Amino acid sequence: MNYQHFISPQTQYYHLPMPFELEKGEVLTGVQVAYRTWGKLNLEGDNGVLICHALTGSADADDWWEGLLGSKKALDSDRDFIVCSNILGSCYGTTGATSINPQTGIRYGGSFPAITIRDMVHLQAALIKYLGIKSLQLVIGGSLGGMQVLEWALLYPEIVQAIAPIATSGRHSAWCIGLSEAQRQAIYADPNWLGGEYTSEQPPNQGLAVARMMAMSAYRSWQTFTDRFGRQYDASADQFAIASYLQHHGQKLVQRFDANTYITLTQAMDSHDIAQGQDYKSVLQSIEQPALVVAIDSDILYPPIEQQELADLIPNAQLGLLKSIYGHDAFLIDIEALNELLINFRQAFILFLVIKLALGYQF
């Protein structure tokens, strides 16, 4: 399937001029990055803000995070030069399984190599350098985006001034890995899967739809489903209303997303561990940037205990709590409350800088 019609006309493209080496040793050539920007880069190049999107997201942050972008909002294009790029491995313009492999002239498909969160961040860093951004005032993202945020703080501390990881963890839990594996197995069980070498005419849509149904069940909460659906029965479909709802979302995803991409990105998420063999506590304690760690009280996928751990171990971190019935997806739904948390954090960060200057710190 061609996903071009899901990509905004405002999307720009950066073509990496050199081969891109992945963390696990493979090398990609002809890498393309799809990205969007809002606002203008100032002469000093220090008003950058980077948004990192989640699993099935895209560079169109003004679509899925519209409530955070705009005048006097947390991400203000009158002040900030805001960038959001489609991540490596995705299917919305950046090189991934649906891209043409320049070595073979055909789509990568199931042959697209395994990637990591650090690979995504290193590619974003190449884009940031290309755009002339010398300092990122804030790196922000939720879920998979939050994983990227943490890696940004560790890999590029000289660029990143503050971070806001939302509804995420420092390393993927057994709970999340198990749920992702169940979703992948649904895709593998589809007779059209063919080891990832399916055709665009016969993709493993049923498997991907079931995977999405599983995911949606973890993205929301007991209260959301109970309040909205209860035990309502859909007589026309001869099934419970919640079943119709989940099937609807499964079918929506297969119209806009690729199964190989889903496999690639969920496996990258499972590999997420900021410690990478080092002492986990020490790695988190090495993050020096001011951090707003946002938890969602009803999130069963990345429960608040994981964000509390981040906030406890990152020296300059504060915990922000979104009280919501919507579960993990609250960071995409309860935008007004999230916007307020971020505005307060950014105002406090400005005060933090003023104090550092007054005390004579060099940074």
Side-chain angles (χ1 to χ4, degrees), residues 39-342:
K40 293 183 178 180
L41 184 64
N42 63 19
L43 292 176
E44 295 79 15
D46 64 0
N47 65 328
V49 168
L50 178 65
I51 299 173
C52 303
H53 70 74
L55 174 58
T56 64
S58 69
D60 299 326
D62 58 345
D63 179 16
W64 47 269
W65 253 2
E66 179 184 6
L68 295 185
L69 275 73
S71 181
K72 298 183 180 179
K73 294 183 179 179
L75 309 178
D76 188 343
S77 57
D78 294 335
R79 171 193 62 206
D80 304 318
F81 179 55
I82 305 164
V83 180
C84 183
S85 68
N86 186 226
I87 56 173
L88 179 67
S90 189
C91 55
Y92 295 135
T94 296
T95 297
T98 61
S99 304
I100 300 297
N101 181 347
Q103 306 299 321
T104 64
I106 60 176
R107 294 187 186 279
Y108 282 101
S111 70
F112 190 74
I115 60 174
T116 66
I117 308 301
R118 288 188 173 182
D119 291 329
M120 298 173 189
V121 169
H122 285 312
L123 185 58
Q124 289 168 344
L127 172 66
I128 293 302
K129 182 178 180 180
Y130 163 74
L131 292 173
I133 299 173
K134 295 180 173 59
S135 179
L136 289 167
Q137 293 300 307
L138 179 68
V139 181
I140 179 173
S143 196
L144 168 56
M147 299 176 191
Q148 297 163 56
V149 171
L150 292 170
E151 290 289 6
W152 261 101
L154 290 164
L155 297 173
Y156 297 97
E158 73 283 1
I159 299 175
V160 178
Q161 302 303 312
I163 60 172
I166 302 167
T168 195
S169 61
R171 50 189 174 187
H172 228 207
S173 66
W175 169 245
C176 285
I177 293 170
L179 290 171
S180 294
E181 178 60 20
Q183 293 166 40
R184 289 190 293 267
Q185 288 297 330
I187 296 172
Y188 299 155
D190 191 309
N192 289 339
W193 168 244
L194 303 177
E197 299 306 321
Y198 51 86
T199 65
S200 57
E201 292 76 25
Q202 289 187 300
N205 282 348
Q206 185 58 32
L208 181 58
V210 172
R212 181 63 165 182
M213 291 169 66
M214 294 181 194
M216 286 299 299
S217 297
Y219 292 162
R220 298 302 170 91
S221 69
W222 180 91
Q223 186 176 349
T224 303
F225 281 1
T226 300
D227 291 351
R228 181 170 177 181
F229 302 106
R231 289 185 53 81
Q232 298 174 44
Y233 197 78
D234 184 350
S236 63
D238 193 24
Q239 61 185 2
F240 285 102
I242 183 60
S244 296
Y245 168 84
L246 291 175
Q247 289 166 13
H248 168 71
H249 277 278
Q251 291 306 311
K252 276 183 65 176
L253 186 71
V254 301
Q255 298 302 316
R256 69 172 182 88
F257 213 72
D258 170 64
N260 270 316
T261 299
Y262 200 90
I263 299 296
T264 296
L265 297 185
T266 57
Q267 288 179 334
M269 293 170 74
D270 287 352
S271 74
H272 170 58
D273 180 356
I274 59 164
Q276 296 288 300
Q278 301 178 56
D279 179 67
Y280 181 71
K281 180 179 179 180
S282 298
V283 171
L284 281 173
Q285 289 176 333
S286 73
I287 295 176
E288 297 181 353
Q289 297 93 338
L292 173 65
V293 181
V294 179
I296 299 164
D297 63 350
S298 56
D299 191 344
I300 62 171
L301 190 60
Y302 299 92
I305 191 173
E306 295 188 322
Q307 294 84 54
Q308 184 68 63
E309 177 183 54
L310 295 177
D312 287 345
L313 292 174
I314 297 173
N316 295 311
Q318 64 184 79
L319 184 69
L321 183 65
L322 275 183
K323 295 182 179 180
S324 173
I325 66 169
Y326 293 112
H328 184 63
D329 272 354
F331 78 91
L332 299 170
I333 299 172
D334 285 322
I335 301 298
E336 186 174 337
L338 179 59
N339 186 60
E340 184 176 352
L341 283 174
L342 288 165

